[in-house]
């Protein structure tokens, strides 16, 4: 099983050098100086690869499920290219995000802007990563009938993510703790716009467009997909927030810092919603404080209000709700012409199964 997973990843990764060489080829063709080409290559290699690649690989998985068969080499390449498009978008956000948050490391190495000689050039490097998406889409999909939809969904989700980032940055600045700005409703807005659209809806929508699934004025499959994937993305982020507090670092693979970093997390918002005045005082005095003892006091308060039990209840409720939404997808074969591709429940079940009860 692990071996098949590694092979799948390797196959997906083998597409990246092809795309990188096409991008570098464009700079060469335009007669750009060697040092610019070398810089761009280092940006691509440093920032686009090295993550978990879940978002990108889910485009390929979704295309395979929707088509219900093994992909031809050309189909695989196109699906993987769209998947890498999501990874380029992710890289664009991480490079920018790390500067805004003044983060130190990312994926086990220094953040790009902290690499010697990079500094504020990282701003332009982020733009280059975003621009790369549209160069590759045009080169490979320009003649496809669904090309404009690919552009639309990349542009729309990018703007949605930018808006989510804005609400997050003004709600929870690291250096100015004000818990009166926090609420579960605001947390939900941030999560949906900042994470759910680009991490969950975008990969599946790209797969659907590539498979030729049409929009419809009644029961639009894209609206249906969004209705399922946005709550799924929300559940994923709540889980992420909970694991930041509850998972041991050796399991999580990193040390949780949400409390110290004043993050607008599900945990603190859940606590704020039910805190007594005395508990609220503990949160006001200790949340977002760069001090281990203050962090420990917040963690003790989380245990006191039974956050683990509340999370378990949330998780069961979210799972049931998402299963219910998935079951609104018509079962296969209903009103579909021969050769047509339709939305399948399995696309969403695969996502849910990967997330449900995960430990890291």
């Amino acid at each position: 099983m692990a071996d098949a997973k590694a092979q799948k990843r390797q196959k997906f990764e083998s597409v990246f050098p092809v795309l990188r060489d096409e991008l570098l080829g464009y700079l060469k063709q335009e007669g750009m100086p060697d040092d610019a080409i070398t810089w761009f290559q280092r940006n691509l290699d440093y920032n686009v690869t090295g993550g978990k690649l879940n978002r990108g690989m889910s485009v390929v998985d979704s295309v395979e499920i929707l088509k219900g068969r093994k992909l031809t080499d050309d189909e695989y390449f196109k699906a993987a290219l769209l998947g890498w498009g999501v990874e380029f978008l992710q890289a664009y956000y991480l490079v920018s995000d790390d500067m805004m948050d003044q983060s130190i490391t990312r994926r086990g190495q220094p953040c790009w802007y902290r690499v010697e000689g990079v500094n504020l050039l990282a701003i332009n490097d982020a733009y280059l990563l975003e621009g790369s998406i549209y160069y590759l889409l045009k080169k490979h999909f320009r003649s496809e009938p669904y090309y404009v939809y690919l552009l639309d969904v990349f542009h729309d989700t990018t703007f949605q993510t930018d808006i989510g980032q804005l609400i997050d940055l003004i709600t929870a600045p690291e250096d100015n703790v004000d818990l009166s700005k926090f609420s579960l409703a605001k947390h939900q807005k941030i999560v949906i716009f900042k994470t759910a659209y680009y991490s969950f809806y975008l990969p599946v929508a790209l797969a659907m467009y590539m498979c030729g699934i049409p929009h419809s004025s009644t029961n639009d499959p894209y609206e249906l997909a969004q209705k399922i994937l946005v709550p799924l993305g929300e559940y994923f982020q709540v889980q992420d927030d909970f694991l930041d507090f509850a998972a041991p670092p050796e399991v999580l693979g990193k040390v949780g810092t949400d409390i110290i970093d004043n993050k607008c997390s599900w945990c603190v918002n859940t606590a704020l919603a039910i805190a007594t005045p005395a508990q609220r005082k503990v949160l006001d005095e200790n949340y977002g404080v760069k001090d281990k003892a203050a962090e420990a006091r917040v963690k003790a308060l989380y245990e006191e209000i039974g956050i683990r039990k509340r999370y378990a209840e949330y998780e069961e409720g979210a799972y049931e709700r998402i299963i219910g939404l998935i079951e609104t997808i018509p079962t296969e074969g209903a009103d579909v012409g021969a050769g047509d591709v339709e939305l399948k429940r399995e696309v969403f079940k695969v996502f849910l199964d990967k997330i449900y009860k995960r430990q890291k």
Side-chain angles (χ1 to χ4, degrees):
M1 181 67 202
D3 194 40
K5 207 172 162 188
Q7 275 178 324
K8 213 159 100 176
R9 186 187 165 105
Q10 241 173 338
K11 187 176 182 185
F12 182 73
E13 284 180 320
S14 72
V15 174
F16 177 74
V18 180
L19 306 179
R20 181 192 61 203
D21 291 349
E22 287 181 4
L23 290 162
L24 296 173
Y26 172 63
L27 268 68
K28 286 174 189 159
Q29 175 199 314
E30 294 298 321
M32 295 301 162
D34 288 347
D35 55 354
I37 295 166
T38 305
W39 186 283
F40 187 32
Q41 174 163 355
R42 197 165 62 121
N43 172 12
L44 293 169
D45 288 338
Y46 198 93
N47 295 307
V48 183
T49 59
K52 295 193 283 286
L53 306 181
N54 289 340
R55 294 171 181 82
M57 285 166 66
S58 65
V59 179
V60 180
D61 292 345
S62 300
V63 172
E64 281 185 336
I65 292 166
L66 291 169
K67 286 195 179 285
R69 59 170 171 77
K70 201 169 179 310
L71 304 183
T72 65
D73 288 349
D74 182 58
E75 286 169 339
Y76 182 87
F77 178 78
K78 279 195 152 74
L81 190 161
L82 292 174
W84 277 109
V86 183
E87 293 295 334
F88 272 83
L89 189 66
Q90 162 84 338
Y92 158 62
Y93 282 126
L94 299 184
V95 170
S96 316
D97 229 29
D98 287 341
M99 298 182 81
M100 289 181 251
D101 295 344
Q102 290 291 291
S103 301
I104 307 296
T105 59
R106 160 80 62 191
R107 295 170 175 169
Q109 55 184 11
C111 297
W112 178 240
Y113 80 97
R114 293 183 63 89
V115 170
E116 197 181 342
V118 177
N119 206 351
L120 294 180
L121 263 81
I123 298 171
N124 193 62
D125 288 332
Y127 299 157
L128 285 167
L129 294 169
E130 191 199 19
S132 298
I133 299 165
Y134 299 100
Y135 175 81
L136 293 167
L137 287 179
K138 186 170 182 177
K139 187 168 191 292
H140 294 276
F141 293 94
R142 183 70 184 76
S143 61
E144 298 291 348
Y146 54 85
Y147 175 59
V148 70
Y149 290 117
L150 299 179
L151 297 179
D152 260 1
V153 75
F154 267 109
H155 282 131
D156 290 350
T157 48
T158 301
F159 193 38
Q160 286 162 327
T161 310
D162 296 341
I163 294 166
Q165 175 72 347
L166 170 66
I167 320 169
D168 194 21
L169 289 167
I170 60 177
T171 300
E174 214 176 312
D175 54 354
N176 181 22
V177 183
D178 178 2
L179 297 184
S180 69
K181 286 182 169 179
F182 286 18
S183 70
L184 280 165
K186 195 172 280 185
H187 174 264
Q188 183 184 42
K189 265 278 184 278
I190 293 169
V191 162
I192 289 172
F193 277 77
K194 191 180 165 181
T195 302
Y197 283 121
Y198 96 94
S199 297
F200 289 84
Y201 175 66
L202 176 60
V204 174
L206 292 170
M208 289 166 67
Y209 285 127
M210 187 181 145
C211 291
I213 294 179
H215 278 280
S216 162
S217 51
T218 55
N219 298 329
D220 182 39
Y222 292 87
E223 273 179 33
L224 182 52
Q226 194 164 305
K227 275 200 181 96
I228 300 166
L229 292 160
V230 166
L232 194 69
E234 195 188 325
Y235 162 42
F236 171 83
Q237 189 58 53
V238 169
Q239 191 178 43
D240 223 47
D241 290 355
F242 176 71
L243 291 172
D244 185 274
F245 152 70
E250 60 277 11
V251 176
L252 194 59
K254 61 180 181 185
V255 176
T257 59
D258 284 1
I259 295 171
I260 279 178
D261 289 346
N262 188 37
K263 285 283 171 26
C264 185
S265 155
W266 178 83
C267 300
V268 71
N269 282 298
T270 298
L272 287 167
I274 55 167
T276 62
Q279 289 171 327
R280 174 60 191 255
K281 191 168 183 288
V282 172
L283 287 170
D284 281 328
E285 287 170 1
N286 296 284
Y287 199 77
V289 177
K290 308 254 180 255
D291 167 53
K292 279 286 174 208
E295 182 187 35
R297 286 191 281 275
V298 174
K299 285 190 165 187
L301 190 141
Y302 285 173
E303 299 290 7
E304 199 181 298
I305 62 155
I307 200 117
R308 291 171 193 273
K309 183 167 178 286
R310 285 173 190 279
Y311 173 73
E313 285 163 7
Y314 168 85
E315 180 160 57
E316 287 317 303
Y319 184 80
E320 295 297 319
R321 201 169 77 248
I322 293 159
I323 286 284
L325 288 164
I326 291 172
E327 282 169 358
T328 66
I329 297 172
T331 46
E332 285 154 51
D335 337 311
V336 147
D340 284 351
V341 174
E342 55 184 334
L343 204 50
K344 289 183 184 161
R345 294 179 179 188
E346 197 194 333
V347 169
F348 305 95
K349 285 190 170 142
V350 165
F351 266 98
L352 184 56
D353 291 343
K354 275 186 193 149
I355 296 169
Y356 184 54
K357 299 247 159 123
R358 74 187 168 103
Q359 300 299 309
K360 59 177 183 173

Coordinates of all heavy atoms in Angstrom, one line a residue, residues 209-266:
Y209 N -13.9 20.0 -14.8 CA -13.8 20.7 -16.1 C -13.0 19.9 -17.1 O -13.4 19.8 -18.3 CB -13.1 22.1 -15.9 CG -14.0 23.1 -15.3 CD1 -13.6 23.8 -14.2 CD2 -15.3 23.4 -15.8 CE1 -14.4 24.8 -13.6 CE2 -16.1 24.3 -15.2 CZ -15.7 25.0 -14.1 OH -16.5 26.0 -13.5
M210 N -11.9 19.3 -16.7 CA -11.1 18.5 -17.6 C -11.9 17.3 -18.1 O -11.7 16.9 -19.3 CB -9.8 18.0 -16.9 CG -8.9 17.3 -17.9 SD -7.4 16.7 -17.2 CE -7.2 15.3 -18.2
C211 N -12.8 16.8 -17.3 CA -13.6 15.6 -17.7 C -14.8 16.1 -18.6 O -15.6 15.2 -18.9 CB -14.0 14.8 -16.5 SG -12.7 14.0 -15.7
G212 N -15.0 17.4 -18.8 CA -16.1 17.8 -19.6 C -17.4 17.9 -18.9 O -18.5 17.8 -19.6
I213 N -17.4 17.9 -17.6 CA -18.7 17.9 -16.9 C -19.3 19.4 -17.1 O -18.6 20.3 -16.8 CB -18.6 17.6 -15.4 CG1 -18.2 16.1 -15.2 CG2 -19.8 17.9 -14.6 CD1 -18.0 15.7 -13.8
P214 N -20.5 19.5 -17.7 CA -21.0 20.8 -18.0 C -21.7 21.5 -16.8 O -22.2 20.8 -15.9 CB -22.1 20.5 -19.1 CG -22.5 19.1 -18.8 CD -21.4 18.4 -18.1
H215 N -21.8 22.8 -16.8 CA -22.6 23.5 -15.8 C -24.1 23.3 -16.2 O -24.4 23.0 -17.4 CB -22.3 25.0 -15.9 CG -21.1 25.4 -15.1 ND1 -21.1 25.6 -13.8 CD2 -19.8 25.6 -15.5 CE1 -19.9 25.9 -13.4 NE2 -19.1 26.0 -14.4
S216 N -24.9 23.5 -15.2 CA -26.4 23.3 -15.5 C -27.2 24.3 -14.8 O -26.8 24.7 -13.7 CB -26.7 21.8 -15.1 OG -28.1 21.7 -14.9
S217 N -28.3 24.8 -15.4 CA -29.1 25.8 -14.7 C -29.9 25.2 -13.6 O -30.3 25.9 -12.7 CB -30.0 26.5 -15.8 OG -30.7 25.5 -16.5
T218 N -30.1 23.9 -13.6 CA -30.8 23.2 -12.5 C -29.8 22.2 -11.9 O -29.2 21.5 -12.7 CB -32.1 22.5 -13.0 OG1 -31.7 21.6 -14.0 CG2 -33.1 23.5 -13.5
N219 N -29.7 22.1 -10.6 CA -28.8 21.2 -10.0 C -27.4 21.2 -10.6 O -26.9 20.2 -11.0 CB -29.3 19.8 -10.0 CG -30.6 19.6 -9.3 OD1 -30.9 20.3 -8.3 ND2 -31.5 18.7 -9.8
D220 N -26.8 22.4 -10.6 CA -25.4 22.6 -11.2 C -24.4 21.7 -10.4 O -24.3 21.8 -9.2 CB -25.0 24.0 -11.2 CG -23.6 24.2 -11.8 OD1 -23.4 23.6 -12.8 OD2 -22.8 25.0 -11.2
P221 N -23.7 20.8 -11.1 CA -22.8 19.9 -10.4 C -21.7 20.6 -9.7 O -21.2 20.2 -8.7 CB -22.2 19.0 -11.5 CG -22.6 19.6 -12.8 CD -23.8 20.4 -12.6
Y222 N -21.3 21.8 -10.2 CA -20.2 22.6 -9.6 C -20.7 23.2 -8.3 O -20.0 23.3 -7.3 CB -19.7 23.6 -10.6 CG -19.0 23.0 -11.7 CD1 -19.7 22.6 -12.9 CD2 -17.6 22.8 -11.7 CE1 -19.0 22.0 -13.9 CE2 -16.9 22.1 -12.7 CZ -17.6 21.7 -13.8 OH -17.0 21.1 -14.9
E223 N -22.0 23.6 -8.3 CA -22.5 24.2 -7.0 C -22.7 23.0 -6.0 O -22.4 23.2 -4.8 CB -23.9 24.8 -7.3 CG -23.9 26.2 -7.7 CD -25.2 26.8 -8.0 OE1 -26.2 26.4 -7.3 OE2 -25.3 27.7 -8.9
L224 N -23.1 21.9 -6.5 CA -23.2 20.7 -5.6 C -21.8 20.3 -5.0 O -21.7 20.1 -3.8 CB -23.8 19.5 -6.3 CG -24.0 18.2 -5.6 CD1 -24.8 18.5 -4.3 CD2 -24.7 17.2 -6.5
A225 N -20.8 20.3 -5.9 CA -19.4 20.0 -5.4 C -19.0 21.0 -4.3 O -18.4 20.7 -3.3 CB -18.5 20.0 -6.6
Q226 N -19.3 22.3 -4.6 CA -18.9 23.3 -3.6 C -19.6 23.2 -2.3 O -19.0 23.3 -1.3 CB -19.2 24.7 -4.3 CG -18.5 25.8 -3.5 CD -18.5 27.1 -4.4 OE1 -18.0 27.1 -5.5 NE2 -19.1 28.2 -3.8
K227 N -20.9 22.8 -2.4 CA -21.7 22.6 -1.1 C -21.1 21.5 -0.3 O -21.3 21.5 0.9 CB -23.1 22.2 -1.5 CG -24.0 23.4 -1.8 CD -25.5 23.0 -1.7 CE -26.4 24.1 -2.0 NZ -26.9 24.1 -3.4
I228 N -20.4 20.5 -0.9 CA -19.8 19.4 -0.1 C -18.4 19.8 0.3 O -18.0 19.6 1.4 CB -19.8 18.1 -1.0 CG1 -21.2 17.7 -1.4 CG2 -19.1 17.0 -0.2 CD1 -21.3 16.7 -2.5
L229 N -17.6 20.4 -0.6 CA -16.2 20.6 -0.4 C -15.9 21.7 0.5 O -14.9 21.7 1.3 CB -15.5 20.8 -1.7 CG -15.5 19.5 -2.6 CD1 -15.2 19.8 -4.0 CD2 -14.4 18.5 -2.1
V230 N -16.8 22.7 0.6 CA -16.5 23.8 1.5 C -16.7 23.4 3.0 O -15.7 23.6 3.8 CB -17.4 25.1 1.2 CG1 -17.4 26.1 2.3 CG2 -16.8 25.7 -0.1
P231 N -17.8 22.7 3.3 CA -17.8 22.1 4.7 C -16.7 21.1 5.0 O -16.2 21.0 6.1 CB -19.2 21.4 4.7 CG -20.0 22.0 3.7 CD -19.0 22.5 2.6
L232 N -16.3 20.4 4.0 CA -15.2 19.4 4.1 C -13.9 20.2 4.5 O -13.1 19.8 5.3 CB -15.0 18.6 2.8 CG -14.2 17.4 2.9 CD1 -14.9 16.3 3.7 CD2 -13.9 16.8 1.5
G233 N -13.6 21.3 3.7 CA -12.5 22.1 4.0 C -12.5 22.7 5.4 O -11.5 22.9 6.1
E234 N -13.7 23.1 5.8 CA -13.9 23.7 7.1 C -13.6 22.7 8.2 O -12.9 22.9 9.2 CB -15.4 24.1 7.2 CG -15.7 25.1 8.3 CD -17.2 25.3 8.4 OE1 -17.9 25.3 7.4 OE2 -17.6 25.4 9.6
Y235 N -14.1 21.4 8.0 CA -13.8 20.3 9.0 C -12.3 20.1 9.0 O -11.8 19.9 10.1 CB -14.6 19.1 8.5 CG -14.2 17.8 9.1 CD1 -13.8 17.6 10.4 CD2 -14.2 16.7 8.3 CE1 -13.4 16.4 10.9 CE2 -13.8 15.4 8.8 CZ -13.4 15.3 10.1 OH -13.0 14.1 10.6
F236 N -11.7 20.1 7.9 CA -10.2 19.8 7.8 C -9.5 20.9 8.7 O -8.6 20.5 9.4 CB -9.8 19.9 6.4 CG -8.2 19.9 6.2 CD1 -7.5 18.7 6.2 CD2 -7.5 21.1 6.0 CE1 -6.2 18.7 6.1 CE2 -6.2 21.1 5.9 CZ -5.5 19.8 5.9
Q237 N -9.9 22.1 8.6 CA -9.2 23.2 9.3 C -9.4 23.1 10.8 O -8.5 23.4 11.6 CB -9.5 24.6 8.7 CG -8.6 25.7 9.2 CD -7.2 25.5 9.0 OE1 -6.7 25.3 7.9 NE2 -6.3 25.5 10.0
V238 N -10.7 22.8 11.1 CA -11.0 22.7 12.6 C -10.2 21.6 13.2 O -9.6 21.7 14.3 CB -12.5 22.4 12.8 CG1 -12.8 22.0 14.2 CG2 -13.3 23.7 12.4
Q239 N -10.0 20.5 12.4 CA -9.2 19.4 12.8 C -7.8 19.8 13.0 O -7.1 19.4 14.0 CB -9.4 18.3 11.7 CG -8.8 17.0 12.1 CD -9.1 16.0 10.9 OE1 -8.9 16.4 9.7 NE2 -9.5 14.8 11.2
D240 N -7.3 20.6 12.0 CA -5.9 21.1 12.1 C -5.7 21.9 13.3 O -4.7 21.8 14.0 CB -5.7 22.0 10.8 CG -4.4 21.7 10.2 OD1 -4.0 20.5 10.0 OD2 -3.7 22.7 9.9
D241 N -6.7 22.8 13.6 CA -6.6 23.6 14.8 C -6.6 22.8 16.1 O -5.8 23.1 17.0 CB -7.8 24.6 14.9 CG -7.8 25.7 13.8 OD1 -6.8 25.7 13.1 OD2 -8.8 26.4 13.7
F242 N -7.4 21.8 16.1 CA -7.5 20.9 17.3 C -6.1 20.1 17.5 O -5.6 20.0 18.6 CB -8.6 19.9 17.2 CG -8.7 18.9 18.3 CD1 -9.0 19.4 19.6 CD2 -8.4 17.6 18.2 CE1 -9.0 18.5 20.7 CE2 -8.4 16.7 19.2 CZ -8.7 17.1 20.5
L243 N -5.6 19.6 16.3 CA -4.4 18.8 16.4 C -3.2 19.7 16.8 O -2.3 19.2 17.5 CB -4.1 18.2 15.1 CG -5.0 17.0 14.6 CD1 -4.7 16.6 13.2 CD2 -4.9 15.8 15.6
D244 N -3.2 21.0 16.5 CA -2.2 21.9 16.9 C -2.1 21.9 18.4 O -1.0 22.0 19.0 CB -2.4 23.3 16.4 CG -1.3 24.3 16.7 OD1 -1.3 24.9 17.8 OD2 -0.4 24.4 15.8
F245 N -3.2 21.8 19.1 CA -3.3 21.8 20.5 C -3.1 20.4 21.1 O -2.3 20.2 22.0 CB -4.6 22.3 21.0 CG -5.0 21.8 22.4 CD1 -4.4 22.2 23.5 CD2 -6.1 20.9 22.5 CE1 -4.7 21.7 24.8 CE2 -6.5 20.4 23.7 CZ -5.8 20.8 24.9
A246 N -3.7 19.4 20.5 CA -3.8 18.1 21.1 C -2.8 17.0 20.7 O -2.5 16.1 21.4 CB -5.3 17.5 20.9
A247 N -2.3 17.1 19.5 CA -1.4 16.0 19.0 C 0.0 16.2 19.5 O 0.5 17.3 19.5 CB -1.4 16.0 17.5
P248 N 0.6 15.1 20.0 CA 2.0 15.2 20.4 C 2.9 15.6 19.2 O 2.7 15.2 18.1 CB 2.3 13.8 20.9 CG 1.1 13.0 20.8 CD 0.1 13.8 20.0
P249 N 3.9 16.5 19.5 CA 4.8 17.0 18.4 C 5.4 15.8 17.5 O 5.5 16.0 16.3 CB 5.9 17.8 19.1 CG 5.2 18.2 20.4 CD 4.3 17.1 20.7
E250 N 5.7 14.7 18.2 CA 6.3 13.6 17.4 C 5.3 13.0 16.5 O 5.7 12.4 15.4 CB 7.0 12.6 18.4 CG 6.0 11.9 19.3 CD 5.8 12.7 20.6 OE1 6.1 13.9 20.7 OE2 5.2 12.1 21.5
V251 N 4.1 13.1 16.7 CA 3.0 12.6 15.8 C 2.7 13.6 14.8 O 2.6 13.4 13.6 CB 1.7 12.2 16.6 CG1 0.6 11.7 15.6 CG2 2.0 11.1 17.6
L252 N 2.6 14.9 15.2 CA 2.2 16.0 14.3 C 3.3 16.4 13.4 O 3.1 16.8 12.3 CB 1.8 17.2 15.2 CG 1.1 18.4 14.5 CD1 -0.2 17.9 13.9 CD2 0.8 19.5 15.5
G253 N 4.6 16.1 13.8 CA 5.7 16.5 12.9 C 6.2 17.9 13.1 O 7.1 18.4 12.4
K254 N 5.5 18.6 14.0 CA 5.9 20.0 14.3 C 5.4 20.4 15.7 O 4.5 19.7 16.2 CB 5.4 21.0 13.3 CG 3.9 21.0 13.2 CD 3.3 22.0 12.1 CE 1.8 22.0 12.1 NZ 1.2 22.8 11.0
V255 N 5.9 21.4 16.3 CA 5.4 21.9 17.6 C 4.2 22.9 17.3 O 4.4 23.8 16.5 CB 6.5 22.6 18.4 CG1 6.0 23.2 19.7 CG2 7.7 21.6 18.6
G256 N 3.1 22.6 17.9 CA 2.0 23.5 17.8 C 2.3 24.9 18.4 O 2.8 25.0 19.4
T257 N 1.9 26.0 17.6 CA 2.2 27.3 18.1 C 1.0 28.3 18.0 O 1.1 29.5 18.2 CB 3.3 28.0 17.2 OG1 2.9 28.0 15.9 CG2 4.6 27.2 17.3
D258 N -0.2 27.7 17.8 CA -1.4 28.6 17.6 C -1.6 29.5 18.8 O -2.0 30.6 18.7 CB -2.6 27.7 17.4 CG -2.7 27.2 15.9 OD1 -1.7 27.5 15.2 OD2 -3.6 26.5 15.6
I259 N -1.4 29.0 20.0 CA -1.8 29.7 21.2 C -0.8 30.9 21.3 O -1.2 32.1 21.5 CB -1.7 28.9 22.5 CG1 -2.8 27.8 22.5 CG2 -1.8 29.7 23.8 CD1 -2.7 26.7 23.5
I260 N 0.5 30.6 21.2 CA 1.5 31.6 21.4 C 1.4 32.7 20.2 O 1.7 33.9 20.4 CB 2.9 31.0 21.4 CG1 3.2 30.5 22.8 CG2 4.1 31.9 20.9 CD1 4.5 29.7 23.0
D261 N 1.0 32.2 19.0 CA 1.0 33.1 17.9 C -0.3 33.8 17.7 O -0.6 34.5 16.7 CB 1.2 32.3 16.6 CG 2.6 31.8 16.4 OD1 3.5 32.3 17.1 OD2 2.9 30.9 15.6
N262 N -1.2 33.8 18.7 CA -2.5 34.5 18.7 C -3.3 34.1 17.5 O -4.0 34.9 16.9 CB -2.2 36.0 18.7 CG -3.5 36.8 18.9 OD1 -4.4 36.4 19.6 ND2 -3.6 37.9 18.2
K263 N -3.4 32.8 17.2 CA -4.1 32.4 16.0 C -5.6 32.4 16.3 O -6.0 32.0 17.4 CB -3.7 31.0 15.5 CG -2.3 31.0 14.8 CD -2.5 31.5 13.4 CE -1.2 31.8 12.6 NZ 0.0 31.2 12.8
C264 N -6.4 32.8 15.3 CA -7.9 32.7 15.4 C -8.3 31.3 15.2 O -8.9 30.9 14.2 CB -8.5 33.7 14.4 SG -10.3 33.8 14.6
S265 N -8.0 30.4 16.2 CA -8.2 29.0 16.1 C -9.6 28.5 16.6 O -10.2 29.2 17.4 CB -7.1 28.3 16.9 OG -7.5 27.0 17.3
W266 N -10.0 27.4 16.1 CA -11.3 26.8 16.6 C -11.3 26.6 18.1 O -12.3 26.9 18.8 CB -11.5 25.5 15.9 CG -12.8 24.8 16.3 CD1 -14.1 25.0 15.9 CD2 -12.9 23.8 17.3 NE1 -15.0 24.2 16.5 CE2 -14.3 23.5 17.4 CE3 -12.0 23.1 18.2 CZ2 -14.8 22.5 18.4 CZ3 -12.5 22.2 19.1 CH2 -13.9 21.9 19.1

